[in-house]
Amino acid sequence: MAADASPKAAPPRLNVPPAMAGGLRLDPAVASPARLLLDVPKTPSPSKTTYSDRFIPCRSSSRLHNFALLDRASPGSGDDAPYSRLLRAEIFGPDSPSPAPSSPNTNLFRFKTDHPSPKSPFAAAAATAGQLDCTAGSAESSTPRKPPRKVPKTPHKVLDAPSLQDDFYLNLVDWSSQNMLAVGLGNCVYLWSASNSKVTKLCDLGPRDSVCAVHWTREGSYLAIGTGLGDVQIWDSSRCKRIRNMGGHQTRTGVLAWSSRILSSGSRDKNILQHDIRVPSDYISKFTGHRSEVCGLKWSHDDRELASGGNDNQLLVWNQRSQQPVLRLTEHTAAVKAIAWSPHQQGLLASGGGTADRCIRFWNTVNGNMLNSVDTGSQVCNLAWCKNVNELVSTHGYSQNQIMVWKYPSMSKVATLTGHTLRVLYLAMSPDGQTIVTGAGDETLRFWNIFPSMKTQAPVRDIGLWSFSRSHIR
């Protein structure tokens, strides 16, 4: 009875398997009031965590289904379905997802993309749109790229141009809107018709003078000629008659540029004169800003701005409201002869530097910022923008004397053409925008078909490039 009244020994508190519990003997402590107080059951404090001898992770927070760990069906899954559910609940927790029926998976750690069910119709729409975008992108990538446009590597024709000077600062070739080519040879100016290959001698300045520049009006009826003595002459090409002679420069006039009404002339005397043939005076205003010879002049297509380049490495931009330049761009490190305004974007100006610079630079004349710069590797002699496509052509000097066609704004090379044996100092474009003519000190004129036709215009009229007589071909 005394033994029955004594308290029973407390069971062992180690967390061990039942099979091992019988092999462990723990001697109970002697019963005492203090011991009995310790054996009174207590509600565990929520702030304390009871630890056992093993760590068993919580499977409910694991995403093992992402690694295909839950996709395996146990053998005989049809007969042992209750057992499988019970086993899954014991191992992975009661909240573990049920496996979806799938094909046997031999790659244990194959990663699977988790696609949560959308909580709103907007999420479902976004997922669908993403799938459509991926499909569209793959369709575009599978579309074959358009092959690059082929540019003939040889000129259509090569004409003799005896006495064509090898002088970087002169501008001796221009092509009119009426399909007439003007060329200054020595002290004479010749006109060549691209329609019938007829050659006409327009004028002879005499032994004491020389031709330094030629430039057609935009209508193509009148030709301006800059002379070695500093004069500017206006000739009527249809009658081969001089209608005006204007002075003002102290030395040779090497560059000319027409706007709709004003003729600008640049000279070795560093000045730019503005001529208006409607008034009797030789010039109406003078622009002074260059510190050396002016060798490049171009009016913008809207007649608002005049760009000038000089042997002082400066590119200046002027307007009619001021006799001081509104922009002074000094990034070039050599003479700036090559200047071209974009016909596709207002305020976009391209310029090219000489031997020590070799770069084509692009400018936003609205704010004066330089947009881009490309090192061509050789002296830039001329620039011209195509009106049919957003491309431009540049001509170069030593050492390759090449002609380069560029795609803008990427400035990727479309073609590189060679054939001249000296610097390609002269460049003009046909009125249809497809053909250019280049001239050099090797005394040749070469015609190249480098640009496509304008897509929106009527079929291009034959300009007679195939009708040269053999006596003019070299």
Side-chain angles (χ1 to χ4, degrees):
M1 296 296 292
D4 296 337
S6 62
K8 295 182 179 180
R13 286 187 171 83
L14 290 179
N15 186 6
V16 295
M20 297 177 60
L24 294 177
R25 290 183 174 274
L26 297 177
D27 296 333
V30 178
S32 65
R35 180 67 181 177
L36 292 176
L37 291 176
L38 292 175
D39 289 341
V40 174
K42 293 183 179 180
T43 303
S45 173
S47 62
K48 296 182 180 180
T49 303
T50 302
Y51 297 96
S52 62
D53 62 334
R54 290 186 300 163
F55 173 73
I56 300 177
C58 179
R59 303 295 185 181
S60 61
S61 62
S62 302
R63 296 195 301 169
L64 298 178
H65 58 281
N66 283 353
F67 300 93
L69 292 176
L70 302 181
D71 290 351
R72 288 177 172 270
S74 60
S77 58
D79 299 333
D80 300 334
Y83 171 78
S84 298
R85 288 196 299 269
L86 180 61
L87 181 62
R88 187 182 307 108
E90 290 293 331
I91 297 177
F92 298 110
D95 298 331
S96 61
S98 298
S102 61
S103 59
N105 183 13
T106 59
N107 188 359
L108 180 62
F109 293 103
R110 176 178 58 87
F111 184 77
K112 293 174 62 179
T113 304
D114 190 9
H115 294 289
S117 59
K119 298 181 180 180
S120 70
F122 300 101
T128 305
Q131 294 177 359
L132 294 177
D133 289 344
C134 294
T135 305
S138 61
E140 288 182 3
S141 60
S142 62
T143 303
R145 294 184 60 183
K146 184 178 180 181
R149 176 167 55 85
K150 294 183 178 180
V151 177
K153 298 294 185 179
T154 56
H156 288 164
K157 301 294 176 182
V158 182
L159 301 183
D160 277 328
S163 302
L164 186 61
Q165 304 222 13
D166 184 25
D167 191 327
F168 179 79
Y169 301 98
L170 304 185
N171 294 271
L172 298 176
V173 178
D174 197 27
W175 204 330
S176 79
S177 59
Q178 296 187 13
N179 218 14
M180 189 76 70
L181 189 71
V183 185
L185 301 176
N187 53 8
C188 299
V189 175
Y190 292 88
L191 305 180
W192 174 79
S193 172
S195 301
N196 54 27
S197 299
K198 180 181 178 181
V199 177
T200 303
K201 184 177 181 180
L202 179 66
C203 66
D204 187 338
L205 302 182
R208 301 182 59 185
D209 206 349
S210 62
V211 179
C212 296
V214 295
H215 196 63
W216 290 99
T217 60
R218 293 182 179 177
E219 296 77 14
S221 301
Y222 298 96
L223 180 71
I225 301 174
T227 73
L229 298 178
D231 294 334
V232 177
Q233 300 182 3
I234 309 296
W235 285 75
D236 185 342
S237 61
S238 61
R239 298 184 295 164
C240 294
K241 181 180 179 180
R242 188 180 74 181
I243 61 175
R244 188 76 183 269
N245 186 79
M246 297 173 288
H249 288 297
Q250 304 302 315
T251 183
R252 73 178 185 185
T253 304
V255 60
L256 301 166
W258 281 98
S259 69
S260 299
R261 299 179 178 180
I262 302 298
L263 172 63
S264 302
S265 60
S267 171
R268 183 182 276 178
D269 64 10
K270 313 173 190 177
N271 297 323
I272 301 171
L273 299 182
Q274 305 286 78
H275 310 272
D276 190 340
I277 61 175
R278 299 169 298 178
V279 300
S281 58
D282 286 342
Y283 60 92
I284 58 175
S285 62
K286 178 189 294 186
F287 292 167
T288 57
H290 286 283
R291 297 188 297 269
S292 188
E293 181 170 7
V294 180
C295 52
L297 275 180
K298 280 291 186 338
W299 278 98
S300 62
H301 297 281
D302 57 7
D303 292 345
R304 294 182 179 180
E305 295 177 307
L306 174 68
S308 64
N311 196 33
D312 56 359
N313 309 343
Q314 292 191 100
L315 175 65
L316 306 182
V317 179
W318 316 74
N319 61 33
Q320 291 287 7
R321 298 184 300 273
S322 174
Q323 294 187 1
Q324 295 298 320
V326 295
L327 287 177
R328 189 181 295 271
L329 309 172
T330 59
E331 278 76 2
H332 283 290
T333 57
V336 183
K337 176 190 178 185
I339 299 174
W341 291 91
S342 170
H344 309 286
Q345 182 177 342
Q346 185 175 353
L348 176 57
L349 176 65
S351 60
T355 305
D357 184 82
R358 307 178 304 179
C359 289
I360 300 175
R361 304 178 191 271
F362 297 89
W363 312 88
N364 179 353
T365 61
V366 176
N367 54 26
N369 291 338
M370 184 173 67
L371 305 176
N372 192 10
S373 178
V374 178
D375 189 345
T376 66
S378 57
Q379 176 189 47
V380 184
C381 302
N382 291 279
L383 284 171
W385 222 298
C386 179
K387 64 181 181 180
N388 301 341
V389 291
N390 201 9
E391 297 177 1
L392 65 160
V393 58
S394 59
T395 69
H396 300 268
Y398 307 118
S399 60
Q400 298 183 32
N401 308 312
Q402 74 271 34
I403 302 156
M404 303 180 74
V405 184
W406 308 84
K407 185 180 293 293
Y408 188 84
S410 66
M411 288 307 288
S412 56
K413 294 179 185 178
V414 179
T416 299
L417 311 174
T418 57
H420 285 287
T421 58
L422 290 177
R423 297 179 295 177
V424 188
L425 297 176
Y426 311 111
L427 169 68
M429 189 174 296
S430 64
D432 63 15
Q434 299 183 49
T435 304
I436 62 168
V437 58
T438 56
D442 58 10
E443 299 186 342
T444 62
L445 294 174
R446 297 171 186 260
F447 295 81
W448 314 78
N449 187 13
I450 63 172
F451 292 121
S453 61
M454 187 176 294
K455 295 180 180 179
T456 57
Q457 70 180 12
V460 177
R461 179 172 56 91
D462 182 12
I463 60 174
L465 291 179
W466 300 99
S467 59
F468 290 113
S469 63
R470 292 188 178 272
S471 60
H472 291 104
I473 301 176
R474 178 174 171 176

